[in-house]
Amino acid sequence: MAEGSAAVPSTELLEWPKKDKRRFLHAVYRVGDLDRTIKFYTECFGMKLLRKRDIPEEKYSNAFLGFGPEESNFVVELTYNYGVSSYDIGTGFGHFAIATPDVYKMVEDIRAKGGDITREPGPVKGGTSVIAFVKDPDGYIFELIQRASTPEPLCQVMLRVGDLDRSVKFYEKALGMMLVKKVDRPEYKYSIAMMGYAEEQETTVLELTYNYGVTEYTKGNAYAQVAISTDDVYKSGEVVEHVIQELGGKVTRKPGPIPGINTKITSFLDPDGWKTVLVDNEDFLKELK
């Protein structure tokens, strides 16, 4: 009897991520020349520089760029560590994606500015969606996807995983995401799962890719993490710990305020070692002001 009653709060707790107010805030990664990347993203992709800060005592600078304000849009947070000019992207990180009404025009604009086009624009294999791929100055790949209109142009982060079903369960249970789309392509020996908080056309999604037979990837030291908002980092952290016990992963920072800033966060690795930071909604908005 005691066991049955003890399970009730746990069930309520595990439902919390689906009731929580969550969205993708930013992706964090390292670059070798901050001004060079800002120039490329603003001139080639049409992003706006939203804020920039230099922390000389910690020997790093960072810049936030995106297609709309941080209060409502997903953005990139670029980190430059003093004196470090290049990084290893590894084999696990895939790409970011940008939705645009005209991929052909965007590619021509990028080419005219000296950008590196790694896949010419055209329909996907066996489909009608028009895409292209571009490499930024640090070697990060951006997929350009043709969409008539979208509230969130910065629309994907693609990561490779070693067990797709395990990853889908992890992001559903630990982060309250829904499986937006799943595609299996046996002819090309891969499967993908799109995970997010709304339909693919409306928001940013995490694109998890499983290549048949590949269970491990190198992480490198370039891509760092995604940040996601929450109304309660403590409750969210408790859920994550439960899910990690079941599916694997590791808590890298217990819930609590960051010294000096007081923004409450918690961070953890998924079963493949990809890092997520959960950030308190109210604290995040205060930080922006």
Side-chain angles (χ1 to χ4, degrees):
M1 186 70 195
E3 279 182 25
S5 57
V8 175
S10 179
T11 307
E12 283 173 20
L13 184 71
L14 294 174
E15 286 298 309
W16 162 248
K18 292 189 178 70
K19 296 172 183 167
D20 193 11
K21 191 178 164 191
R22 299 199 174 181
R23 69 177 184 89
F24 286 93
L25 300 176
H26 45 253
V28 183
Y29 53 103
R30 300 171 186 97
V31 298
D33 182 331
L34 199 56
D35 290 333
R36 176 186 67 186
T37 305
I38 290 168
K39 183 177 164 64
F40 188 86
Y41 287 9
T42 53
E43 292 183 3
C44 293
F45 294 150
M47 290 188 194
K48 297 179 183 76
L49 174 61
L50 302 166
R51 57 185 169 124
K52 189 178 175 185
R53 60 188 178 192
D54 187 33
I55 323 285
E57 62 274 20
E58 301 284 340
K59 296 188 176 171
Y60 79 90
S61 306
N62 59 15
F64 295 78
L65 295 98
F67 293 98
E70 286 179 76
E71 289 85 350
S72 55
N73 286 72
F74 183 56
V75 307
V76 295
E77 178 183 342
L78 309 174
T79 300
Y80 168 69
N81 292 301
Y82 290 13
V84 185
S85 60
S86 67
Y87 292 92
D88 170 25
I89 291 175
T91 59
F93 177 79
H95 60 256
F96 300 108
I98 295 171
T100 177
D102 190 339
V103 167
Y104 295 94
K105 184 179 185 307
M106 192 171 190
V107 164
E108 285 318 305
D109 290 348
I110 293 168
R111 201 194 310 276
K113 293 181 174 88
D116 183 1
I117 313 301
T118 59
R119 184 219 192 257
E120 291 295 331
V124 293
K125 284 178 186 171
T128 56
S129 300
V130 173
I131 64 162
F133 283 95
V134 175
K135 192 184 281 188
D136 85 355
D138 288 276
Y140 293 101
I141 300 290
F142 280 78
E143 180 180 8
L144 308 179
I145 303 171
Q146 190 145 308
R147 278 187 196 160
S149 67
T150 176
E152 184 48 87
L154 192 57
C155 60
Q156 278 178 15
V157 179
M158 191 277 254
L159 304 172
R160 297 181 180 97
V161 299
D163 180 333
L164 194 59
D165 291 336
R166 178 185 65 185
S167 294
V168 168
K169 273 185 204 155
F170 185 88
Y171 284 95
E172 282 177 336
K173 291 183 172 187
L175 284 156
M177 291 186 193
M178 57 184 188
L179 176 60
V180 175
K181 183 167 86 176
K182 196 174 182 187
V183 179
D184 187 31
R185 301 299 295 268
E187 67 274 31
Y188 302 117
K189 297 187 175 173
Y190 76 87
S191 303
I192 61 166
M194 303 284 197
M195 308 294 299
Y197 296 107
E199 290 307 317
E200 192 189 350
Q201 308 282 334
E202 297 166 23
T203 184
T204 303
V205 296
L206 206 52
E207 178 182 347
L208 304 174
T209 299
Y210 169 69
N211 291 302
Y212 290 13
V214 186
T215 57
E216 282 185 28
Y217 294 93
T218 61
K219 296 290 175 299
N221 60 359
Y223 170 81
Q225 69 222 24
V226 289
I228 290 170
S229 63
T230 174
D231 277 342
D232 189 334
V233 293
Y234 298 98
K235 210 189 251 191
S236 296
E238 216 179 317
V239 175
V240 167
E241 286 199 36
H242 273 281
V243 178
I244 283 172
Q245 283 168 14
E246 180 197 348
L247 296 169
K250 182 186 177 185
V251 174
T252 54
R253 189 190 184 108
K254 294 267 190 189
I258 303 167
I261 303 174
N262 291 326
T263 298
K264 293 182 287 295
I265 67 163
T266 183
S267 65
F268 56 92
L269 306 179
D270 77 358
D272 289 278
W274 296 117
K275 187 176 177 185
T276 299
V277 179
L278 286 166
V279 183
D280 180 272
N281 265 316
E282 283 188 20
D283 290 351
F284 175 70
L285 292 173
K286 274 184 209 158
E287 206 183 307
L288 293 180
K289 284 167 188 165

